[in-house]
């Protein structure tokens, strides 16, 4: 079958789900094309996939380059400082961004004549395009707590539907399409977020990256803590950087710690460097998470998925977008402790780390979730289910 996959022009939207599903479909013998912005060209073609460029799909920095466009999309300091809402999600992804992508898809992808369209949940142009050409649309849930199906998105998506010649919808759940694919066990979702279209599978089990020798030489006589706050979120940063407080807190505890501070952060670090804390420009997060006792995270969804896969308890320090909702859900499920932005201090972080490390209940809860995830169908079943949609 001919399958078109789409992604917003952001690495963290493309790499976790769109890329492995596209590769798996190609390896199963299907004709696969990925449509996204020019910024992801190397990521797409580097995996041996055909790339159709959507000329008006912008990368993160490009969205900020035009102040008026950024304002229309809701990329203002005030909006970015808080959690994502249905309205802010709709303004950014379901209005002019979705319409431009849908119109570009008509121009560049109609000749491919896809029999199935697969999108990640922030790329709504494909949702419109698939309905226009009359083929099933499947969504890959790359941000489980984002309000992608919230009714507050309706005014924005219905405006795009009208401009694209489609009738309005009356429920946000209608955007779930033929299937809403998640790599999380359904128990992660609050019950009100689940729809009849939700389908749950195991993520493909790639081999972990090899760790550098410096990580293998870390002491083994005390708990190992990893702290990493992501990279893409720096574009959206509005509040204070909590890394100094994290390093200070870990320096007071009987732990060994690895803290990812980025190239710039490492070069410019002028504060104390506690003897038990390794500051690193970059860490192979997925591989290291399998070996540590606790993860200090900003609770971006990529890090959430990786820590759930590794069954590593967390201390979450969310700041904006979907991070507060991700952190809240992990705390509700007993996977760790959440500290809101106004609660962050070295003393509070140290207390949270001690609490999680001293209470085995957090590890029991997250390991139980990992066991339940291991009962889900595999990628092979997902491919078969996608094939059944086309018949």
């Amino acid at each position: 079958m001919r399958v078109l996959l789409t992604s917003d022009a952001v690495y963290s939207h493309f790499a976790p789900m769109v890329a492995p599903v596209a590769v798996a479909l190609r390896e199963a013998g299907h004709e696969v094309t990925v449509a996204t912005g020019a910024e992801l060209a190397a990521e797409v073609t580097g995996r041996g996939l055909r790339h159709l460029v959507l000329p008006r799909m912008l990368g993160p920095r490009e969205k900020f380059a035009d102040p008026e466009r950024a304002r229309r999309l809701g990329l203002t300091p005030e909006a970015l400082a808080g959690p994502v809402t249905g309205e802010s999600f709709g303004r950014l992804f379901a209005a002019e961004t979705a319409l431009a992508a849908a119109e570009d898809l008509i121009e560049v992808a109609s000749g491919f004549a896809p029999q199935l369209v697969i999108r990640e949940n922030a790329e709504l142009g494909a949702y419109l395009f698939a309905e226009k050409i009359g083929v099933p649309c499947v969504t890959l849930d790359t941000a489980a707590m984002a309000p992608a199906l919230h009714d507050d998105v309706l005014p924005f998506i219905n405006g795009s539907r009208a401009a694209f010649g489609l009738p309005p919808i009356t429920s946000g759940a209608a955007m779930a399409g033929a299937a809403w694919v998640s790599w999380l066990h359904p128990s992660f979702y609050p019950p009100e977020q689940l729809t009849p279209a939700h389908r749950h599978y195991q993520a493909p089990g790639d081999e972990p990256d090899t760790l550098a020798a410096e990580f293998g030489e870390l002491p083994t006589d005390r708990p190992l803590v990893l702290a990493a706050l992501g990279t893409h979120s720096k574009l959206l940063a509005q509040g204070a950087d909590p890394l100094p407080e994290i390093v200070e807190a870990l320096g007071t505890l009987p732990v060994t710690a690895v803290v990812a501070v980025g190239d710039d952060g490492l070069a410019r670090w002028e504060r104390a460097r506690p003897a038990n804390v390794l500051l690193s420009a970059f860490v192979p997060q997925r591989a290291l998470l399998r070996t540590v006792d606790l993860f200090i995270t900003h609770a971006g969804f990529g890090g959430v998925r990786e820590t759930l896969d590794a069954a590593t308890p967390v201390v979450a320090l969310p700041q904006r977008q979907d991070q507060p909702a991700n952190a809240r859900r992990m705390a509700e499920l007993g996977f760790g402790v959440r500290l809101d932005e106004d609660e962050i201090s070295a003393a509070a972080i140290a207390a949270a780390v001690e609490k999680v490390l001293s209470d085995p209940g957090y590890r029991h809860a997250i390991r139980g979730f990992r066991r339940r995830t291991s009962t889900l169908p595999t990628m092979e079943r997902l491919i078969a289910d996608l094939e059944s949609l086309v018949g």
Side-chain angles (χ1 to χ4, degrees), residues 221-307:
D221 61 343
R222 65 192 75 175
L224 180 59
V225 177
L226 170 64
L229 302 183
T231 52
H232 173 56
S233 62
K234 292 177 182 177
L235 279 174
L236 309 178
Q238 303 295 326
D241 182 359
L243 280 173
E245 284 73 22
I246 292 172
V247 173
E248 180 182 345
L250 293 171
T252 68
L253 299 174
V255 302
T256 296
V258 176
V259 180
V261 296
D263 290 328
D264 291 345
L266 189 61
R268 298 175 183 175
W269 192 268
E270 297 178 351
R271 294 172 178 259
R273 299 189 182 203
N276 65 324
V277 179
L278 172 65
L279 300 184
S280 180
F282 168 80
V283 298
Q285 182 171 289
R286 181 175 178 180
L288 199 54
L289 273 172
R290 300 174 188 275
T291 74
V292 305
D293 299 284
L294 185 143
F295 182 33
I296 300 177
T297 172
H298 66 315
F301 190 62
V304 168
R305 275 201 53 250
E306 289 180 354
T307 200

Side-chain angles (χ1 to χ4, degrees), residues 9 32 61 64 87-88 91 108 127 139 150-151 173 176 221-222 237 258 262 287 302 310 326 357 364 367:
V32 174
R61 297 184 189 278
F64 286 95
E87 179 181 357
S88 62
R91 189 178 303 279
V108 306
Y127 159 72
T139 300
H150 198 282
D151 284 352
D221 61 343
R222 65 192 75 175
V258 176
N326 294 334
L357 287 177
H364 295 164
R367 284 185 171 177

Side-chain angles (χ1 to χ4, degrees), residues 44-115:
V44 176
T45 59
R47 291 169 170 82
L49 299 165
R50 180 189 179 197
H51 179 208
L52 289 179
V53 177
L54 300 182
R56 289 183 287 172
M57 180 174 282
L58 306 178
R61 297 184 189 278
E62 294 173 306
K63 289 176 181 175
F64 286 95
D66 180 343
E68 175 56 26
R69 179 176 56 220
R71 184 194 63 76
R72 290 197 310 271
L73 296 177
L75 297 174
T76 63
E78 297 76 19
L80 294 173
V84 66
T85 65
E87 179 181 357
S88 62
F89 185 95
R91 189 178 303 279
L92 179 56
F93 295 116
E96 63 181 80
T97 301
L99 182 59
E103 292 172 343
D104 286 352
L105 284 165
I106 289 290
E107 292 295 321
V108 306
S110 292
F112 178 60
Q115 297 167 290

